[in-house]
Every structure is written in C-alpha cells, then in structure tokens.
C-alpha cells in the first residue's frame, strides 16, 4: 500500500542504523527468505502465521542455514518451506524480493550483499529487530481484536439467551429485508431452524410470500422508516390467515436499530400470537352488543348508575319516558336530572334492608320521575344493587311507564261508574213504570182544575198569577216525563233519505226568529256535493235543535254560531261541526256533560237530559258525538254519522213501561 514504511536495504556501513525509505515498493508484496535459522528465525516463523502475513502483505518463501538442526530451519522444513544450507540457493526462489539476514555475522551479510541480484533487497539483523517489533505490535492488535470479538460474541450469546427467554417472537431485519437474527421462540412457533431463517427474506419466512409485503399489498414496516423514526416504537395488530385458512392475529411491535453513527440500519420486530385473546374480545364484544340491544329494545326504561349517581346506561325506553336523549343525560351525568334525589336515597336504604324484600333488591314501587319538560311521569320502579366481589359498584333501575295503565284503570273505573249509574237509572225506570199512570193522572187533574180556577179569577190579578205558576210547573213536570219517555226509546223511528244541509236549514228556520237568536250571527259552511244520508230525520232534528239552543244559551243570546258539514268519501262518514263563541266548558266538567240529569243551567232552566238523549240518538244511528273546548274559549261539538244507516242494538229499555203511560 502506498506510503507504508519499508526498511531500506543495508549498505556496507556496519555502524550506521538501518534506514527507512518511502517508495513505490511499499505497494509490492514482500516475498521474504531468511538467512540464519536460529532462534530469532524460529520466533519470527511462529509469530508470522498466515493471518498476520496477509495483513503485512508478506510471504515466507524459504530459510537458509549451515546448521541442519537450527530450530528455524527445522520449523521451516516441517511447514514445507524451502530450506538450504547455502543462502545463494535462495536466489532461485521465484518472486523473491527480500532477504532478512538473522545470523548477526558481518561476513555473512557482506557475502549476501556481494551476491544478491539487484531485484532483491537485503536487511540485516538490526532491521529485523524492527520487523520483530512490528510483528509484536500486530500480535498485540490481533489479541486485542480477538478479545474484542470474544467479548462481542459473549455479549451476543448473552443477548441471544435473553431473547430466547422471551415469550415474544423476535426478528431482526436488515434494510435489504434479509433476516439478521431471530430468537428461539420465533423458531419454535414457526417450526424453523436457524438455517431456514438467517439470511432469508423476511416476507418469505414470515408470511410465505414470493415478493415483499409492500408489493403483495400488505403493510411493510421498512416502507415507513420516517414514521418509525419519529415514533421510536410502532405497535399494531395484524390479521392474517394461517395455512389452514383460519383467521389469526399477531400483535406486532416495531423499533428501529441505529449504528454508532446514528444511522437507521435495522428494525427489530417483536410479535406474539394473540388470536385467543382477540377472539375472546370479539365474543365479549358480540355479547355486549347483544345485551346492549336487549337493553335498548326493552319497552321499559333502564338506567344504570355508579355509587355517586353518575349515569352509565340510559336506554331508549328512558329516552321515550323522560324526553332526554342518552348523550344529553350522559353529559349531565347524574340521576338527579330526572329522579328526586331524596327518593333515590330512601330507595337505596330500602334495598340495603330486608324489610322491603330481598336484600339488594327493590320490589316494584310507585313513584314519579321528572321529564325534560318538567312534567311528573307516574312510574313503577324495580331496582337492584350491583356488586363485584361483595363491593357495591352501582345500581340498576327499571322504570315502567304507568300512564297508560292508570288511564286504563281510570277508564275501567268510569265504566264501572257508568254501569252503576245505568243500574240506578234502570231501577229508576222500573220504579217509574209503576207510578207513570199515577203521575200523569194527577197532573191531568191539576191542569184541569187550574184552568177552571184561572177562569174564575180572571179579574183577580194576584190570584191569576199564582194559578198561572201552578199551570207552568205542571207543564214542566209533564215535559220531564215526556223527555224520560224519549230517552227510553231504544230504536230509530221511521228511516228516510234526506240532505243534511236541508235538515240543518230547516232546524235553523224554526229557531232563528226566536228572541234568544236575534243577536247571534249564524255562519254555515256546507259541502255542496254531499250525498243524502239515511236515518230518522225527526230525531236528528231534535239533536241539532238541542245543540243550537245550548249554543245560544252559552253565548247568552249574543255571539257567533258556526255550522259546517262535509263528507269523507274514503270513510263514508259525514262530519258536522257546531261551534259557539261562548265561555266554553271547564275541563273538569267535560266528561260529565253527557251524563243524565247533569246540567250547568240554572234550576228550572234545563233538565239535564238534552245531551244524554242526543248522544243516544247519534249512537243508535251508528255515529259518534265529540266535544272540544279550546283554550281561547267557545265550545265545539263534532257529530260523525255514517252514510248507510244500520240500526245499532242496545241494552234493554231503561224506563220500562213509560211508553205505555
């Protein structure tokens, strides 16, 4: 190598030190022969093994010594080097270019110098000493390198032992995608040997691919060097199919490996089969989804809270019940949003005691919850305390909406009340049947004698006024009996076809000229192309007459009376609406207006039978009558009547025998 130190050949100046020159010869290999096979030669031959000779660019060609037993000569023969007792025989060695004289004899050195061909250099035993020192340095370097390598090998083995003890599969990959190292777990899991793995491409060994993961459409972590550098460590779960076609899952962690210069030279992959865990997690997730669907699809409201009252689960049933959505209540996150906290504490005390059922449970309890709009919702609560390892972690409550149940209960109570009332009325009717003749006969006698008295006291105004009061009250009694007789009729009379518009107009014409209608504005909106309906015209006229008179009374003779009628061909129904601008009907009285003998008019003004009879007539025609009183005032009656009349069956007559009276 150019610039290497070369010991210059000695001249014929025995007392001068060996010279050192730098020349082009430094690039030439040293093909050396030794003259003198003594101990110095033997030591050099032992030190200059093939490895050191290669480093020094030196080759030993032969040894010459006159003593055939010289140790260096014997060693050379043993190692099949050229040997001779005459140093001049060395000149014939091919490519010889350097002779080292080791005898220490001036005469021998001079003889060599005199006979050496010009292409061969000569160095004396003093120069050989320098060579010996260089060899010693090389030996020391070799020993240091050997120890370093042994230390590295020891560290490598120790590292391998650590890696082999890990339950994770370890693989070190070079930048060219070849595998540098793996641990025993890797070999065991994949049934490989080191020969099957080391130096092979990672994608071949790891996934059985013929080309790189990136080219095969998979994730190749070597393609994400910058991301890996930034994150220092990268972890993911990889899904793949094994040789049986079954889904497998590996958790893979990637980390970069840097050299002494800080360059990214390798990656280390630590992987582990987590298939059982992932499958278990998916089964748990599936079960959670199933139970969540069960909870969400339940009609009742279900709430789960922790020990501090924070809401953890709020199902769709509770959303419908309270008007809150789950996200809203979870953000607010507390039971007190819809549940009186004092009631909640009391219920928790009940659950912790054994006085209200099993410990940890609350039997169905009536209560009220607060909706988002502030309304109190009647509900039934069933609850349980949730425990893990004996420790309370929360509670679950099931809220059942009681509004429909309470409404049904109320309807049943009202139906029962109506039944009782009907029984009472039936009793009254049976009693009236026995006294009907007795009532009518005295009334007829009273009327007759009252008329006679009236004629006798025609000139006495005071007595005449009293007698007229007797006549009026007697007529009122007859009217009550007449209305009772009308209510007791259970069939429609003579059925005929007629126009609803004509019926309404005819009814209005009978009333419109009365004093109570003088200041009332009547407005009619009647559909022009309605078909004729079939029914008892006289009875239906009685219904509308009663409604019109009630409207006039409600408006105290002044206001607006609106009448509309239309026909729904899809349902074959007539809809007639009668509305007034009066004060309306109080909400607490609306359910009673169709009851017998119920009236809001002053005593003597109404009997309380008008609307009851009207409802009976409409029902017998297969129709329905509804009432509404808007907040702004007024009353609206809606009458539904079918196009084709079919008489509706009814119970037995309420007032038996009155028709005979």
């Amino acid at each position: 190598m150019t610039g290497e130190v070369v010991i210059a050949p000695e001249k014929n100046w025995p007392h001068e030190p060996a010279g050192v020159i730098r020349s082009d010869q430094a690039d030439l290999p040293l093909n050396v022969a030794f003259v003198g096979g003594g101990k110095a030669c033997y030591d050099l031959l032992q030190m200059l093994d093939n490895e050191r000779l290669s480093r020094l660019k030196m080759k030993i060609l032969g040894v010459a010594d006159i003593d055939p037993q010289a140790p260096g000569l014997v060693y050379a023969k043993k190692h099949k080097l050229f040997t001779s007792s005459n140093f001049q025989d060395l000149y014939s060695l091919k490519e010889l270019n350097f002779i080292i004289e080791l005898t220490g004899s001036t005469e021998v050195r001079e003889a060599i110098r005199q006979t050496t061909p010009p292409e061969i250099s000569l160095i004396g035993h003093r120069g050989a000493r320098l060579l010996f020192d260089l060899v010693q340095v090389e030996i020391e370097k070799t020993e240091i390198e050997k120890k370093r390598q042994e230390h590295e090998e020891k560290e490598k083995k120790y590292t391998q032992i650590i890696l082999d003890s890990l339950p994770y599969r370890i693989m070190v990959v070079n930048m060219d995608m070849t595998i540098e190292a793996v641990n025993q777990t890797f070999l065991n899991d994949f049934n490989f040997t080191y020969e099957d793995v080391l130096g092979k491409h990672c994608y071949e060994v790891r996934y059985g691919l013929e080309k790189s993961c990136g080219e095969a459409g998979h994730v190749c972590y070597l393609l994400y060097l910058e991301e890996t550098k930034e994150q220092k460590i990268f972890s993911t779960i990889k899904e793949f199919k094994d040789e049986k076609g079954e889904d497998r899952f590996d958790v893979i962690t990637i980390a970069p490996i840097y050299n002494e210069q800080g360059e990214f030279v390798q990656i280390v992959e630590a992987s582990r089969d987590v298939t059982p865990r992932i499958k278990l997690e998916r089964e748990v997730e599936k079960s959670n989804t199933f139970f969540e669907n069960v909870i969400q699809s339940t009609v009742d409201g279900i709430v789960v809270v922790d020990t501090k009252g924070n809401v953890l689960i709020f199902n769709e049933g509770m959303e419908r019940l309270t008007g809150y959505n789950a996200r809203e209540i979870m953000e607010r996150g507390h039971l007190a949003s819809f549940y009186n906290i004092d009631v909640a504490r009391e219920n928790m005390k009940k659950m912790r005691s054994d006085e209200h059922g099993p410990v940890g449970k609350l039997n169905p309890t009536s209560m009220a919850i607060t909706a988002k709009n502030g309304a109190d919702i009647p509900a039934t609560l069933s609850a349980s305390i949730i425990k893990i390892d004996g420790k309370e972690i929360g509670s679950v409550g099931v809220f059942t909406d009681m509004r429909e149940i309470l409404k049904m209960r109320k309807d049943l109570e009202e139906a029962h009340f109506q039944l009782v009332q009907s029984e009472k009325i039936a009793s009254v009717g049976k009693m009236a049947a026995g006294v009907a003749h007795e009532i009518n006969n005295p009334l007829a006698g009273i009327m007759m004698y009252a008329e006679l008295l009236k004629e006798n006291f025609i000139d006495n105004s005071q007595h005449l006024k009293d007698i007229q009061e007797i006549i009026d009250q007697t007529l009122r009694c007859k009217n009550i009996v007449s209305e009772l007789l009308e209510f007791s009729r259970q069939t429609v009379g003579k059925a005929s076809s007629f126009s609803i518009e004509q019926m309404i107009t005819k009814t209005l014409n009978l009333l419109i000229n009365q004093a109570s209608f003088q200041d009332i504005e009547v407005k009619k909106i009647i559909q022009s192309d309605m078909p004729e309906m079939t029914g008892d015209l006289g009875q239906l006229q009685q219904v509308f007459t009663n409604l019109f008179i009630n409207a006039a009374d409600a408006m105290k003779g002044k206001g607006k009376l609106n009448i509309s009628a239309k026909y729904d061909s899809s349902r074959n129904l007539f809809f007639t609406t009668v509305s007034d601008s009066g004060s309306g009907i109080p909400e607490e009285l609306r359910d009673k207006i169709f009851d017998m003998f119920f009236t809001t008019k002053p005593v003597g003004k109404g009997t309380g039978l008008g609307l009851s009879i009207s409802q009976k007539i409409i029902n017998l025609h297969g129709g329905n009558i509804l009432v509404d009183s808007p907040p702004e005032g007024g009353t609206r009656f809606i009458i539904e009547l079918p196009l084709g009349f079919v008489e509706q069956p009814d119970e037995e007559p309420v007032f038996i025998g009155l028709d005979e009276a």
Side-chain angles (χ1 to χ4, degrees), residues 514-533:
Q514 295 184 14
S516 58
F517 281 83
Q518 292 304 306
D519 294 325
I520 293 177
E521 179 185 348
V522 179
K523 182 178 181 182
K524 293 191 300 181
I525 302 176
I526 310 294
Q527 184 178 325
S528 60
D529 56 348
M530 288 192 299
E532 291 188 346
M533 76 162 288

Side-chain angles (χ1 to χ4, degrees), residues 209-222:
L209 301 175
E210 296 180 355
K211 51 187 176 181
S212 69
C213 294
E215 294 175 326
H218 301 291
V219 176
C220 178
Y221 302 109
L222 285 172

Side-chain angles (χ1 to χ4, degrees), residues 260-451:
E260 295 177 355
Q261 288 73 40
E263 298 171 334
F264 190 176
V265 294
Q266 293 173 322
I267 62 170
V268 57
E269 174 191 290
S271 63
R272 190 174 187 179
D273 184 5
V274 291
T275 301
R277 191 194 82 188
I278 296 297
K279 288 186 175 180
L280 180 60
E281 287 177 353
R282 291 191 174 183
E283 287 299 321
V284 171
E285 182 179 356
K286 188 186 298 183
S287 297
N288 288 342
T289 301
F290 173 77
F291 286 119
E292 183 177 351
N293 289 338
V294 170
I295 291 173
Q296 292 298 335
S297 62
T298 302
V299 175
D300 291 336
I302 297 179
V303 178
V304 177
V305 297
D306 61 18
T307 54
K308 296 182 179 179
N310 298 313
V311 178
L312 306 177
I313 295 177
F314 196 84
N315 77 335
E316 293 177 4
M318 280 305 289
E319 290 182 336
R320 292 190 296 269
L321 189 58
T322 65
Y324 291 107
N325 61 59
R327 175 177 294 181
E328 184 179 7
I329 206 69
M330 296 292 284
E331 288 175 355
R332 187 173 297 183
H334 201 273
L335 194 65
S337 303
F338 55 90
Y339 188 179
N340 185 288
I341 199 65
D342 294 328
V343 176
R345 291 193 182 101
E346 184 64 28
N347 286 335
M348 287 301 295
K349 290 179 181 178
K350 291 180 180 179
M351 283 193 284
R352 293 190 179 105
S353 72
D354 58 357
E355 298 177 1
H356 305 276
V359 176
K361 299 184 183 300
L362 179 67
N363 289 329
T365 302
S366 296
M367 60 168 295
I369 60 175
T370 304
K372 186 177 180 180
N373 61 7
D376 287 336
I377 307 297
T380 297
L381 169 64
S382 301
S384 295
I385 295 176
I386 303 173
K387 293 184 178 181
I388 293 181
D389 297 330
K391 181 180 179 181
E392 290 185 13
I393 63 167
S395 59
V396 57
V398 179
F399 295 85
T400 302
D401 188 351
M402 295 297 293
R403 286 175 293 187
E404 286 297 324
I405 296 174
L406 292 176
K407 183 178 182 300
M408 291 173 60
R409 188 178 297 170
K410 181 180 179 182
D411 292 343
L412 286 173
E413 290 175 352
E414 290 180 353
H416 179 261
F417 176 77
Q418 292 292 338
L419 180 60
V420 171
Q421 289 295 99
S422 297
E423 291 176 351
K424 291 180 179 179
I425 294 171
S427 298
V428 172
K430 291 177 182 179
M431 180 183 66
V435 298
H437 292 290
E438 302 299 327
I439 292 176
N440 281 330
N441 289 335
L443 288 177
I446 292 170
M447 284 292 295
M448 183 181 67
Y449 285 105
E451 289 292 340

